[in-house]
Amino acid sequence: QRSALRGPGLATMQSYALPDAANAYSVMGGDCQILNIRLTPGSSVKCEPGVLMHMDPKINPKTSFACSCGRLCGGEDQFQTKFTNDGKEDAIIGLTPNRPAKVVPVDLSNLQGAKGLRCKQGAWMASLGDVKVSYETDFCNCARCCCGGQGPIQQYLTGTGTAFLEGHGTIMMRVLAAGEKIVVDQTSVLAWAENIKFGIRTVGGCCAMCCSGEGFFNATLNGGNHGGIVILESMPFEKYQAAIVPPKPPPAPKPEDQHPTA
């Protein structure tokens, strides 16, 4: 049967694809992705406000006020929406990030022995199962706190469920071996396991720090005694915002500089 969808724009469209019976979710698209989740009867997904794209009529939302210092310090909204399948059959819900981003699934029960995952503020989008959104402070090292690119407070996820983060650009997940160390741009760090040692180092000499475009400091990630996962993003949102800011218009001429025409 001939498709009703025609024209040059068809190459950018994707057919609706459901998660298969063996998977609870699937991710569609190359960017600005869609997270389709299969909810069994009675099950639910928690998410930040505004991420709904589509859902089955059997799924009902309930929004609650968290009144949580942990969520506030972690860069999340105080309101949280819980979508529950109240029907007797499986139902599908589709979520999409509030910003142009990719969906990054993380199984918190498989963090190479770490108890939790530290994330950039506001990284959490949604979660299935047992996931707690809180925060961790980093006031012990003033240099890392001020120059590490993550600020003094990071989002902290714990539990045994699956957390869905929003990342920007190309996402790279890497497992560091014990003692393995990498140097990365500070803003490109999206998340790292709790047992990863986060540090900083100078970019180089004075000329490199002032003229290389890399700033004064890079972040360092060390696998420590047990190793662990790190998640990097190639186009952090703050970098994307800076790239699309239009150039400032030239200053308007002063009245005294304007000469009447003959």
Side-chain angles (χ1 to χ4, degrees):
Q1 186 177 358
R2 181 177 297 177
S3 172
L5 300 175
R6 294 184 181 181
L10 181 59
T12 64
M13 301 177 66
Q14 288 196 359
S15 299
Y16 177 55
L18 300 178
D20 56 48
N23 297 299
Y25 64 88
S26 64
V27 178
M28 290 179 60
D31 209 345
C32 301
Q33 292 177 323
I34 304 169
L35 170 66
N36 289 315
I37 299 176
R38 180 186 296 275
L39 295 178
T40 57
S43 65
S44 59
V45 57
K46 295 179 180 178
C47 57
E48 63 180 356
V51 298
L52 175 68
M53 181 179 176
H54 67 86
M55 67 178 180
D56 190 283
K58 298 186 290 292
I59 297 176
N60 293 309
K62 182 179 181 182
T63 301
S64 59
F65 181 69
C67 192
S68 167
C69 180
R71 289 184 56 81
L72 183 64
C73 293
E76 294 296 337
D77 200 296
Q78 288 289 73
F79 290 92
Q80 186 180 88
T81 303
K82 181 179 180 181
F83 292 93
T84 303
N85 179 7
D86 292 328
K88 297 182 180 179
E89 299 177 350
D90 290 358
I92 302 296
I93 183 171
L95 309 176
T96 188
N98 282 317
R99 300 185 292 190
K102 289 184 172 66
V103 179
V104 186
V106 182
D107 182 1
L108 297 182
S109 66
N110 187 23
L111 293 179
Q112 307 291 318
K115 295 180 180 179
L117 187 74
R118 290 196 182 213
C119 309
K120 182 179 290 186
Q121 284 197 3
W124 179 84
M125 185 190 84
S127 55
L128 280 172
D130 173 30
V131 176
K132 181 181 179 182
V133 182
S134 185
Y135 72 98
E136 282 288 319
T137 58
D138 187 15
F139 296 108
C140 297
N141 188 312
C142 292
R144 182 177 62 207
C145 174
C146 297
C147 306
Q150 300 295 327
I153 302 175
Q154 296 101 39
Q155 193 172 85
Y156 186 58
L157 306 179
T158 55
T160 57
T162 300
F164 300 98
L165 312 180
E166 60 174 51
H168 305 85
T170 299
I171 307 301
M172 183 178 79
M173 182 180 292
R174 181 169 172 176
V175 179
L176 297 184
E180 184 180 4
K181 184 177 181 180
I182 59 173
V183 180
V184 299
D185 175 72
Q186 307 141 299
T187 60
S188 293
V189 182
L190 177 62
W192 64 101
E194 185 183 31
N195 50 6
I196 293 292
K197 295 180 179 180
F198 191 106
I200 61 170
R201 79 171 196 181
T202 56
V203 170
C206 292
C207 186
M209 288 192 291
C210 296
C211 305
S212 69
E214 300 300 332
F216 286 6
F217 296 94
N218 287 136
T220 61
L221 300 171
N222 191 317
N225 296 327
H226 305 286
I229 69 167
V230 297
I231 304 174
L232 308 177
E233 54 182 353
S234 68
M235 182 57 73
F237 192 65
E238 52 267 50
K239 189 175 180 180
Y240 172 76
Q241 285 180 307
I244 63 174
V245 171
K248 293 183 179 180
K254 295 180 181 180
E256 56 268 23
D257 294 336
Q258 296 179 351
H259 302 285
T261 58

